[in-house]
Amino acid sequence: MVVRHPAERGKGRFERFAESASNVTSSPVFYGFCLLLVAFFVATHVAGLSISQQMLAGDLMTCVTLLLLALLKNSERRAERAVQRKLDAIAAALLEQSEGEAREAQEDLRSAIRLEEDL
């Protein structure tokens, strides 16, 4: 089974969900939610509540952390791929502009951006 880069797959359900979740998690409302979650965690320990309630607070924080990590990685890979596509387009435009001049530099640039593999 081959796993393709998220940016190459198009906008599937997960990509749309990840983009929406990224917008929500970067909002002040979500930051406030996280502050409340941390306050709940601290309050359970300060108040000396039962171990099960302390574990619940810790588990909630762990779940939020893991979900945010997955969303962050997805967002990072999509942004990385977008930047790479732009750089490839710039390099290709420079190659077209200088067509017929310095052949050695063009070949180096072609190999650097791997045009043959993409086309």
Side-chain angles (χ1 to χ4, degrees):
M1 180 171 122
V2 176
V3 179
R4 291 178 14 204
H5 192 282
E8 295 172 351
R9 287 184 278 193
K11 290 258 185 173
R13 276 188 275 171
F14 179 74
E15 284 76 20
R16 287 191 304 269
F17 169 74
E19 191 169 332
S20 297
S22 178
N23 292 336
V24 169
T25 57
S26 63
S27 70
V29 172
F30 186 76
Y31 180 76
F33 169 74
C34 289
L35 283 177
L36 287 175
L37 189 59
V38 170
F40 173 64
F41 179 76
V42 170
T44 57
H45 288 282
V46 170
L49 297 178
S50 69
I51 294 294
S52 63
Q53 290 173 331
Q54 291 178 10
M55 288 184 65
L56 172 66
D59 290 346
L60 285 173
M61 288 180 51
T62 302
C63 289
V64 169
T65 301
L66 288 175
L67 289 173
L68 287 175
L69 178 65
L71 292 173
L72 178 65
K73 188 62 179 174
N74 179 276
S75 176
E76 173 190 335
R77 293 196 61 173
R78 283 186 287 125
E80 173 187 310
R81 182 68 178 166
V83 167
Q84 188 60 49
R85 284 182 181 170
K86 290 174 187 175
L87 288 173
D88 288 348
I90 290 169
L94 287 173
L95 281 173
E96 289 176 2
Q97 182 182 19
S98 66
E99 201 68 27
E101 293 177 8
R103 277 292 191 208
E104 187 176 328
Q106 290 176 12
E107 290 304 318
D108 290 343
L109 192 52
R110 275 194 179 97
S111 66
I113 61 172
R114 296 179 284 154
L115 281 176
E116 293 81 21
E117 293 177 6
D118 293 339
L119 297 176

